Amino acid sequence: MDPEWNDSQPIYRQIRDRVVAMVLDGLLKEGDPLPSVRAVATESRVNPLTVMKAYQQLADDGLVEKRRGLGMFVTTDARERLLAGEREKFLAERWPEIRATIERLGLTRELLGVIPFKTRGEG
Amino acid sequence: MDPEWNDSQPIYRQIRDRVVAMVLDGLLKEGDPLPSVRAVATESRVNPLTVMKAYQQLADDGLVEKRRGLGMFVTTDARERLLAGEREKFLAERWPEIRATIERLGLTRELLGVIPFKTRGEG
Amino acid sequence: MDPEWNDSQPIYRQIRDRVVAMVLDGLLKEGDPLPSVRAVATESRVNPLTVMKAYQQLADDGLVEKRRGLGMFVTTDARERLLAGEREKFLAERWPEIRATIERLGLTRELLGVIPFKTRGEG
Amino acid sequence: MDPEWNDSQPIYRQIRDRVVAMVLDGLLKEGDPLPSVRAVATESRVNPLTVMKAYQQLADDGLVEKRRGLGMFVTTDARERLLAGEREKFLAERWPEIRATIERLGLTRELLGVIPFKTRGEG
DNA sequence: GTGGTCTAGACCACG
DNA sequence: GTGGTCTAGACCACA
């Protein structure tokens, strides 16, 4: 009904991932305020609790810090820590299974599209 | 406590995926019998209903067929149909998100390991 | 209105602390199931979400593990890890301030009651 | 980002406690002026309303008194009344829980550091 | 304005 | 039966 949300994953997870992506892409920088819980809830027509759950998880991960009465802000070095942490998690927890599937299905670089050989800029 | 199961996915899904992998890898060929529901349930200490659900899903996908009183058997051309179907599903439903993650994290072929350029044998 | 709950702390925190205390006191041992979310909610006349929040925190802390469809169970070595972790946290985060207060107020062992000199049994 | 404030307690409470500590430690004596709301707010980069709330609470407790146009001053016998009141509050409201935690964690005097046996001078 | 907590009640997937 | 997610709406403390 709402094309914004993917039904195969909880909404709070998608909100969380969206923020993570924005930090990784540099759209949210250190010290930037996150849109308020209420704002996101209203705009995306989602319950505030759902947004809060996502934000709480970001805070637990140290990606965001709360300032009483003011809101939530991207922490220092959030992007660097994210890159390191998410990379490790991806390579350890997701990639082995994905790679096995790729090989099992006999998929090739032509079908998958190219993955760069050199690291792209990170700064 | 039980390292056999991944908590991030339903057990019946993992059983189903395990059978699919065995077919793709050629460990289960056309006409081969699947291990009995009871055997799998006992050995993996899982509720028989859970195994049944996995097998039922395999039957619904046309990958196995029930023969009354005998059990379930891998159907003809199961591997070929699987390859086509799973490939399509993977490329459409999973790969785009995975690829976006890879790019966002700046992962390279060195870190991921090589993916063959040419299609490997499929028959 | 309900003497069970202390108004100065969130209920979910009190539920969490209650379970922690039961593990430390040996009333809940490795592998023991936690009372179900619904059971606690009904018995304590609290919303299931509130209980869930407490239980989720216990799971995040690794004190408890979820088994799909079965419930939540005390993990191996939960008590030992709790003792170590909670001790460290208490000594680092709470005790310095508490001790400063005690000294500032000029409180003595007579007023506070005795604290044992030797470690009590832990096993 | 600002190590001055502890997120687990409201800022106005922390300001209040800071003044109380200074009185108990003799750094602020009877008749001494409190730093102005504006000064504290500027220096600690806090909303003046927050400082005001802390000062108001101190005034409500009879620890300081407002003199129109001059500011706020520590009242007579502030330290003595504080000692009595805070002691009672601490022993009744905080110490029982703290002591239970200490015993549960099996903490000893060695780990906690020594608490004097005799009452130290009280003024 | 901000986030934090809670309720009542619903629907879902899993075993 | 279990936990998981979500909604709608309320009240609170804090700045």
Side-chain angles (χ1 to χ4, degrees), chain A residues 21-84:
Chain A
M22 289 180 73
V23 171
L24 286 176
D25 290 344
L27 299 175
L28 275 176
K29 298 192 199 329
E30 295 182 9
D32 284 357
L34 256 53
S36 83
V37 169
R38 281 168 170 78
V40 174
T42 308
E43 188 174 334
S44 298
R45 284 172 304 124
V46 160
N47 189 292
L49 259 187
T50 306
V51 183
M52 188 101 79
K53 207 163 170 180
Y55 277 22
Q56 185 57 51
Q57 225 170 67
L58 291 165
D60 290 346
D61 292 349
L63 199 78
V64 137
E65 67 179 0
K66 308 179 181 186
R67 297 190 202 148
R68 305 182 72 101
L70 297 176
M72 309 186 73
F73 300 79
V74 178
T75 52
T76 312
D77 294 331
R79 184 158 180 274
E80 282 67 32
R81 275 182 291 122
L82 250 188
L83 264 179

Side-chain angles (χ1 to χ4, degrees), chain C residues 73-123:
Chain C
F73 299 79
V74 178
T75 51
T76 312
D77 294 330
R79 184 159 180 273
E80 283 66 33
R81 275 183 290 120
L82 250 190
L83 263 180
E86 296 282 300
R87 271 185 180 179
E88 187 180 11
K89 210 164 67 178
F90 180 84
L91 289 173
E93 293 174 16
R94 295 192 58 197
W95 182 244
E97 183 267 326
I98 292 169
R99 201 184 161 189
T101 300
I102 287 174
E103 292 186 349
R104 222 188 303 281
L105 295 177
L107 295 171
T108 62
R109 291 214 291 272
E110 290 113 324
L111 291 165
L112 295 170
V114 177
I115 297 171
F117 203 95
K118 290 282 184 188
T119 307
R120 63 165 190 168
E122 287 178 29

Side-chain angles (χ1 to χ4, degrees), chain C residues 21 25 87 90 94-95 97 99 103-110 112 114-120, chain D residues 21 25 87 90 94-95 97 99 103-106 108-110 112 114-120:
Chain C
D25 290 345
R87 271 185 180 179
F90 180 84
R94 295 192 58 197
W95 182 244
E97 183 267 326
R99 201 184 161 189
E103 292 186 349
R104 222 188 303 281
L105 295 177
L107 295 171
T108 62
R109 291 214 291 272
E110 290 113 324
L112 295 170
V114 177
I115 297 171
F117 203 95
K118 290 282 184 188
T119 307
R120 63 165 190 168
Chain D
D25 290 344
R87 271 187 177 180
F90 180 83
R94 296 191 58 197
W95 183 244
E97 182 267 324
R99 203 185 158 188
E103 292 187 351
R104 219 188 300 284
L105 296 177
T108 61
R109 290 212 292 271
E110 292 114 320
L112 295 169
V114 177
I115 297 169
F117 203 96
K118 290 281 184 188
T119 309
R120 64 166 190 171

Side-chain angles (χ1 to χ4, degrees), chain B:
Chain B
M1 192 167 273
D2 198 334
E4 183 170 6
W5 304 118
N6 175 351
D7 195 52
S8 74
Q9 228 178 352
I11 292 175
Y12 79 89
R13 234 313 194 163
Q14 297 179 53
I15 295 175
R16 182 256 179 203
D17 287 345
R18 201 175 291 183
V19 175
V20 165
M22 289 179 74
V23 171
L24 286 175
D25 290 344
L27 300 176
L28 276 176
K29 298 191 196 338
E30 297 181 7
D32 283 355
L34 256 51
S36 80
V37 168
R38 184 174 313 176
V40 174
T42 308
E43 189 172 337
S44 298
R45 285 175 301 126
V46 160
N47 191 313
L49 275 178
T50 307
V51 184
M52 197 96 86
K53 196 165 176 177
Y55 278 21
Q56 185 56 50
Q57 194 164 319
L58 289 164
D60 292 346
D61 293 348
L63 191 70
V64 303
E65 59 184 5
K66 305 183 183 183
R67 297 189 200 151
R68 304 181 63 98
L70 294 177
M72 307 190 74
F73 298 80
V74 179
T75 52
T76 312
D77 293 330
R79 183 160 182 271
E80 283 64 35
R81 276 182 290 120
L82 254 188
L83 264 178
E86 296 284 301
R87 271 187 177 180
E88 185 181 11
K89 210 162 62 176
F90 180 84
L91 287 173
E93 294 173 14
R94 297 192 56 196
W95 182 244
E97 182 267 324
I98 292 168
R99 201 184 163 189
T101 300
I102 287 174
E103 291 187 350
R104 216 187 306 280
L105 295 177
L107 294 171
T108 62
R109 291 212 291 271
E110 292 113 323
L111 291 165
L112 295 170
V114 177
I115 297 171
F117 203 96
K118 290 281 184 189
T119 307
R120 67 170 189 167
E122 288 179 28

Side-chain angles (χ1 to χ4, degrees), chain C residues 10-12 45-47 49-50 53 68-69:
Chain C
I11 293 176
Y12 77 88
R45 284 173 304 124
V46 161
N47 189 292
L49 257 187
T50 306
K53 208 164 170 180
R68 307 182 71 104

